[in-house]
Amino acid sequence: MPEGAKGRNFLRHLALTGTDRYLDATALFKRDQKLRLFRPEAAELLDNHDPSREARAFLKRLDGDWLSTLQHWDLKSYLPLDILTKVDRMSMAHSLEARVPLLDHKLVEFAATIPHEYRLRNGETKSIFKRAMRGILPDEIIDRRKQGFAVPLGAWFRGRLSGFARELLLDGSARNHIFDRGYISQLLEMHERGRDHNLQLWTLISFELWCRRFLDAPKPRPELRLPAVPLLGAPTEARA
């Protein structure tokens, strides 16, 4: 199926199993997309690099309790390196507690002892937590679909930031020696037509801005420091 076809990503993801399916779900650019994103010379340099090597090695240690293994990996990676860094810092900066109360080490250690068949029951996530909160929180809160704290990047890149994204990623100073501009243009067009590529575009924009800030910016000239020379005729200490 061609890229952009409805159901393509779902069917491709469904064909994977085990560790490969989990890693695919956490990757912004899939393998076939990366082959199109990078120019051939850049792809050749990255050919021997596997960004999921550490995760794959960790997840190979599955001992039958696959859910505990995945959650353990999330505690080592996704939690501290992503959502705690962004959502929880920003919420606490505005005197809101989004997740941290549930990360009390005693509560986490207890939750880790609960068998996975109770944590994920008949496809329902957080089933024990929901039962514990029943009668404390309204049912409409407990039973509603999960709602995250996502920034509306998709709408922005189709609206007020559309021109900014296109100009930044397709102008002559973009990473033309790394990325294929034709593929990036295709991502922008698919997104404008309704396909959600907001996270991919955000990643590319962040990388481009980082390069301009730290790689392209002219290096400041070292400050010229003249040797300290006493001024002629400077007063001397009074002699006794």
Side-chain angles (χ1 to χ4, degrees):
M1 298 175 67
E3 186 166 358
K6 188 174 182 179
R8 175 183 181 274
N9 290 335
F10 174 76
L11 292 175
R12 184 192 54 76
H13 179 74
L14 199 63
L16 302 174
T17 58
T19 299
D20 289 332
R21 180 180 291 182
Y22 171 81
L23 294 176
D24 181 75
T26 60
L28 288 178
F29 288 95
K30 315 307 180 186
R31 177 173 174 79
D32 58 329
Q33 292 175 322
K34 285 190 287 189
L35 291 176
R36 298 188 60 192
L37 173 65
F38 291 108
R39 293 176 62 88
E41 53 271 28
E44 184 178 356
L45 292 174
L46 296 171
D47 188 49
N48 294 325
H49 174 67
D50 180 9
S52 62
R53 182 185 297 114
E54 182 182 359
R56 195 177 299 278
F58 183 91
L59 296 175
K60 280 184 178 179
R61 297 184 290 176
L62 291 172
D63 57 1
D65 189 351
W66 61 272
L67 182 59
S68 294
T69 303
L70 295 181
Q71 289 179 324
H72 188 184
W73 176 249
D74 276 348
L75 284 174
K76 289 170 59 67
S77 58
Y78 179 53
L79 191 67
L81 301 178
D82 193 309
I83 51 181
L84 278 178
T85 303
K86 295 182 288 188
V87 172
D88 293 271
R89 283 185 181 179
M90 290 300 100
S91 58
M92 287 189 290
H94 295 276
S95 301
L96 299 173
E97 293 288 358
R99 190 187 340 263
V100 174
L102 299 177
L103 296 180
D104 180 273
H105 71 94
K106 292 183 178 180
L107 180 60
V108 173
E109 290 165 1
F110 168 72
T113 67
I114 301 175
H116 68 271
E117 59 266 24
Y118 294 105
R119 279 178 274 146
L120 182 63
R121 197 167 191 176
N122 297 324
E124 181 186 16
T125 60
K126 305 178 183 177
S127 60
I128 294 178
F129 187 45
K130 292 177 181 178
R131 290 174 61 186
M133 292 294 102
R134 191 76 66 181
I136 299 176
L137 294 175
D139 288 348
E140 57 267 24
I141 297 297
I142 296 175
D143 297 327
R144 74 181 182 183
R145 294 182 61 184
K146 182 176 180 179
Q147 296 181 350
F149 296 93
V151 177
L153 293 173
W156 288 350
F157 291 153
R158 293 187 187 98
R160 58 188 300 182
L161 293 183
S162 174
F164 166 78
R166 181 171 292 275
E167 180 180 355
L168 185 72
L169 295 178
L170 297 180
D171 77 353
S173 62
R175 305 302 110 191
N176 294 333
H177 55 292
I178 299 178
F179 300 129
D180 184 279
R181 292 179 66 195
Y183 181 68
I184 294 179
S185 178
Q186 183 181 350
L187 286 178
L188 289 164
E189 291 172 3
M190 287 192 294
H191 183 79
E192 291 173 357
R193 292 199 303 266
R195 300 289 296 180
D196 280 326
H197 292 300
N198 52 316
L199 293 180
Q200 289 89 340
L201 295 176
W202 173 256
T203 300
L204 292 171
I205 288 172
S206 299
F207 179 70
E208 175 64 27
L209 291 176
W210 182 89
C211 288
R212 294 189 183 193
R213 173 66 177 83
F214 294 102
L215 300 183
D216 298 345
K219 296 182 179 180
R221 294 182 178 181
E223 183 180 353
L224 181 61
R225 294 183 179 273
L226 296 177
V229 178
L231 294 176
L232 296 178
T236 59
E237 293 183 0
R239 296 180 181 178

